[in-house]
Amino acid sequence: MKIYTKTGDKGKTSLFGGTRVPKHHLRIEAYGTVDELNSYLGLIRDQEIDKHTSEVLIKIQNELFTLGAMLATPQDKEILKSGKERLNIHKTGETAVKLLELEIDQMNESLPEMTHFVLPGGHTTVSFCHIARCVCRRAERICTQLSEDTHIPSEILIYLNRLSDYLFVLARKLAHINNAQEIRWIPEKK
């Protein structure tokens, strides 16, 4: 398989199903941002973290590829002329969301109660989690905007919302494990 096809040399690309759109199309921006998020999760996984967290991140990375494929498939191209689904894969849904919720709840059990916003930072791995959380929120904002113009599965928005929560709690867990100080944000009074 050739890596370069030259079909995008004029600033257009194909969605699943063959529809050609500009590379700046909101749908491309949505799954491109999900891809960026996936890369940051790989960066977190490359740090010194526990095996369980690494395994969960691999599951999430796989889910993000699925989510990207779902975003790359316009609603009118989801079903083939034969009546079969174009994406013959497991779709992101309730099971994936439940995994994130379970992980969030388990991590929260060992963390001190949060009483203030915390400043991102304190340890490289923690900072990578916060960057990933911000990219996840951006992906969510783009997908929300896309959903105003066209149909995208609601599970995508739910998953991204829950994933950003997971990444925040993961940052707190890794700060705790690495004895990184959580600096509370306390705004100065006038």
Side-chain angles (χ1 to χ4, degrees), residues 51 99 175:
K51 184 179 178 187
L99 171 69

Side-chain angles (χ1 to χ4, degrees), residues 36-123:
E36 180 184 354
L37 171 59
N38 206 336
S39 296
Y40 276 111
L41 295 185
L43 186 60
I44 296 168
R45 216 171 25 81
D46 288 342
Q47 307 306 301
E48 289 185 27
I49 59 173
D50 62 278
K51 184 179 178 187
H52 175 77
T53 299
S54 181
E55 290 170 352
V56 170
L57 287 172
I58 288 172
K59 288 179 184 178
I60 294 169
Q61 285 186 283
N62 277 294
E63 203 66 55
L64 288 176
F65 263 104
T66 299
L67 197 142
M70 292 168 68
L71 285 168
T73 309
Q75 184 179 22
D76 64 335
K77 301 291 184 175
E78 289 178 356
I79 305 298
L80 298 168
K81 289 179 183 177
S82 65
K84 294 183 179 182
E85 288 187 49
R86 181 172 301 282
L87 293 180
N88 189 21
I89 57 175
H90 172 78
K91 308 293 186 310
T92 300
E94 187 177 336
T95 302
V97 171
K98 291 291 182 201
L99 171 69
L100 294 175
E101 291 173 349
L102 176 67
E103 291 296 318
I104 291 167
D105 292 343
Q106 288 177 347
M107 288 188 290
N108 260 335
E109 286 178 11
S110 63
L111 295 173
E113 183 181 350
M114 210 179 119
T115 58
H116 292 78
F117 287 110
V118 294
L119 301 180
H123 188 276

